[in-house]
Amino acid sequence: MGEHPEEAASFLDSVMEKVAEKLPGHDSSSSDSDDEKSKKPESKKPEPSSISSSVKRLFGREKPVHTLFGGGKSADVILWRNKQTSAGVLAGATVMWLLFEWLGYYLLTLICHVLILGITILFVWSNASAFINKQPVRIPQISFSEQLFQDVASALRFEINRLFTVIHNVASGRDLKKFLMVVAGLWILSVIGSWANFLTLFYVAFVFAHTVPVLYEKYEDQVDAFTFKAMDEAKKHYGTFDAKVLSKIPRGPLKDKKF
């Protein structure tokens, strides 16, 4: 008789399990978890393009270097898309620098000699073409429009006025940081100018303009990361200098003068 209650209990348990299996909500936790796992979107790894687009660029630019230089033939020359043309331009500038710097040529003398040579060749060819049954060279007539000079003068006037505006803002004493930056920049230019004459400085700047952009385009990720790191360090040092020195300089209130 003692075994009957145990058999009855096991029988009831088996019946309850079968009934529970037939119910629609059976094993909802496991099925829900499986469904949620199947429904959850798999985490996608960021694509290299999205990573590169999220990198901070100098001056907040979003366009490639080639587009910033105009995207035309001039950009191709500066970024060495056409190596023969870029090398020819650089070689021509080097020859000009050698003529002026080493051979002692002057600009006016060089222009006159080039014009004399060109005019002589054209004159001789035009007169000799009748004897050798050749057509004379067609010399194009060059003329500049009045609108071109007006556009150049307008652009030059705008840049000069902007320069005077910057000088006025710096000299008025309203921005100490800008004042220190301008003074430091002018002092650096004066030191560089004492090393060589204007022609050599112009040639060095020309060489930099034809080498630095192409190197930056090749290593722009490394250069941008290093530059932003250096800028952060410079801001920290400037903040310390401002707190310890500049903030203690007494400055009176600025009042606009009325004339």
Side-chain angles (χ1 to χ4, degrees):
M1 296 294 293
E3 296 178 355
H4 292 288
E6 295 178 359
E7 292 178 358
S10 62
F11 176 75
L12 290 174
D13 291 338
S14 63
V15 172
M16 292 297 294
E17 289 177 359
K18 291 180 179 180
V19 172
E21 289 177 359
K22 294 182 178 181
L23 292 176
H26 174 68
D27 202 10
S28 61
S29 60
S30 62
S31 61
D32 291 344
S33 62
D34 294 337
D35 293 339
E36 289 176 359
K37 290 180 181 178
S38 62
K39 291 180 180 179
K40 283 183 179 179
E42 296 180 358
S43 58
K44 297 181 180 179
K45 295 182 180 180
E47 298 178 356
S49 59
S50 62
I51 293 176
S52 61
S53 61
S54 62
V55 177
K56 293 174 63 178
R57 297 300 182 189
L58 287 177
F59 310 109
R61 65 179 181 86
E62 298 178 355
K63 299 180 180 179
V65 180
H66 188 267
T67 306
L68 293 179
F69 282 101
K73 293 183 179 180
S74 59
D76 294 339
V77 172
I78 294 175
L79 297 177
W80 290 74
R81 294 289 193 270
N82 189 343
K83 294 183 179 180
Q84 294 182 353
T85 304
S86 301
V89 171
L90 188 59
T94 304
V95 171
M96 295 291 292
W97 176 73
L98 291 175
L99 288 175
F100 287 120
E101 187 67 19
W102 284 13
L103 300 181
Y105 257 86
Y106 295 97
L107 180 60
L108 182 60
T109 304
L110 179 63
I111 293 175
C112 291
H113 286 178
V114 170
L115 289 176
I116 291 173
L117 180 62
I119 292 174
T120 303
I121 292 175
L122 293 175
F123 179 82
V124 172
W125 181 261
S126 298
N127 288 276
S129 59
F131 298 97
I132 59 178
N133 296 324
K134 294 288 185 178
Q135 293 183 353
V137 180
R138 294 182 179 180
I139 303 174
Q141 186 176 1
I142 302 174
S143 62
F144 297 99
S145 63
E146 183 179 355
Q147 184 65 33
L148 176 63
F149 284 94
Q150 291 179 356
D151 294 339
V152 172
S154 178
L156 185 62
R157 180 185 63 85
F158 175 77
E159 295 297 333
I160 293 176
N161 288 337
R162 189 172 67 172
L163 176 63
F164 284 148
T165 302
V166 172
I167 294 175
H168 178 269
N169 293 334
V170 171
S172 61
R174 298 177 181 177
D175 193 343
L176 182 59
K177 179 180 178 180
K178 185 180 293 186
F179 169 76
L180 294 176
M181 291 176 61
V182 171
V183 171
L186 292 175
W187 180 77
I188 292 173
L189 286 178
S190 66
V191 172
I192 295 175
S194 63
W195 296 344
N197 55 19
F198 179 76
L199 178 62
T200 302
L201 293 177
F202 181 80
Y203 173 71
V204 171
F206 185 85
V207 173
F208 268 88
H210 279 74
T211 53
V212 173
V214 65
L215 293 176
Y216 172 73
E217 186 184 33
K218 188 176 182 180
Y219 304 102
E220 59 179 341
D221 292 337
Q222 296 86 340
V223 172
D224 289 344
F226 176 78
T227 303
F228 280 110
K229 185 177 180 180
M231 290 174 62
D232 292 337
E233 292 295 330
K235 288 180 181 178
K236 291 180 182 178
H237 290 296
Y238 177 77
T240 304
F241 179 73
D242 188 13
K244 292 183 179 180
V245 179
L246 299 181
S247 60
K248 296 180 181 181
I249 298 177
R251 287 180 291 177
L254 295 175
K255 296 182 179 179
D256 296 334
K257 295 182 179 181
K258 296 181 179 180
F259 296 96

